[in-house]
C-alpha cells in the first residue's frame, strides 16, 4: 500500500496558476495624514538654523603627518585649484592661498570697478 503524495506546503491551498493578482488603486490623498490629531500643524517649519549670510568660498587642506612629506591643496569656488608637495612648496602655497583671498572675483565686489 502506497501513501498518497503530499504537497510541499502541507495545509496550504493549491496555487491557482490561471489567476492574476490585480493591483490595488492608491487611496485618495485628502485631508491630514493618517494619525495626525486635529489642530496640529503638519506643514514643515522653516529651518531654525538660519545662517548669517556667510558661506565658504576657498578651502586650504594641509596634510602633514609626523615624519612624512607634507602636502597641501588650495581650492576656490572661482575655479582655482592648486596643490603642493614638500615643506617649502606647501609654505609657498599657504602664502599664495592667503593672497588669493584679496584677488578672488567672488570675494571682491566687481561693481564700481573701472573696466580695463
Amino acid at each position: 500500500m502506497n501513501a498518497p503524495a503530499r504537497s510541499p506546503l502541507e495545509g496550504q491551498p493549491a496555487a491557482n496558476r490561471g489567476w492574476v493578482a490585480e493591483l490595488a488603486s492608491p487611496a485618495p490623498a485628502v485631508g491630514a495624514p493618517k494619525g495626525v490629531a486635529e489642530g496640529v500643524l503638519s506643514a514643515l517649519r522653516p529651518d531654525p538654523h538660519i545662517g548669517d549670510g556667510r558661506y565658504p568660498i576657498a578651502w586650504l587642506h594641509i596634510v602633514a603627518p609626523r615624519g612624512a612629506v607634507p602636502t597641501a591643496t588650495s581650492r576656490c569656488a572661482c575655479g582655482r585649484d592648486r596643490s603642493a608637495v614638500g615643506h617649502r612648496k606647501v609654505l609657498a602655497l599657504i602664502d599664495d592661498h592667503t593672497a588669493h583671498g584679496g584677488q578672488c572675483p567672488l570675494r571682491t565686489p566687481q561693481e564700481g570697478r573701472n573696466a580695463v
Side-chain angles (χ1 to χ4, degrees):
M1 184 158 134
N2 292 339
R6 294 183 179 185
S7 71
L9 297 174
E10 195 172 298
Q12 298 293 324
N16 185 356
R17 303 258 188 254
W19 182 73
V20 178
E22 293 181 24
L23 295 175
S25 62
V30 178
K34 191 173 185 178
V36 175
E38 283 188 41
V40 176
L41 298 176
S42 62
L44 296 176
R45 294 184 175 185
D47 186 12
H49 304 291
I50 297 174
D52 58 0
R54 298 182 299 169
Y55 54 93
I57 292 178
W59 299 265
L60 179 63
H61 181 76
I62 303 169
V63 178
R66 185 171 294 186
V69 178
T71 60
T73 305
S74 171
R75 290 191 175 124
C76 184
C78 70
R80 182 178 181 272
D81 187 5
R82 300 197 176 151
S83 61
V85 177
H87 294 282
R88 287 183 303 183
K89 291 183 180 180
V90 166
L91 291 173
L93 182 63
I94 292 170
D95 292 338
D96 185 50
H97 179 83
T98 305
H100 176 72
Q103 302 167 355
C104 180
L106 297 177
R107 294 181 73 183
T108 56
Q110 299 297 318
E111 296 177 15
R113 281 190 152 183
N114 293 334
V116 181

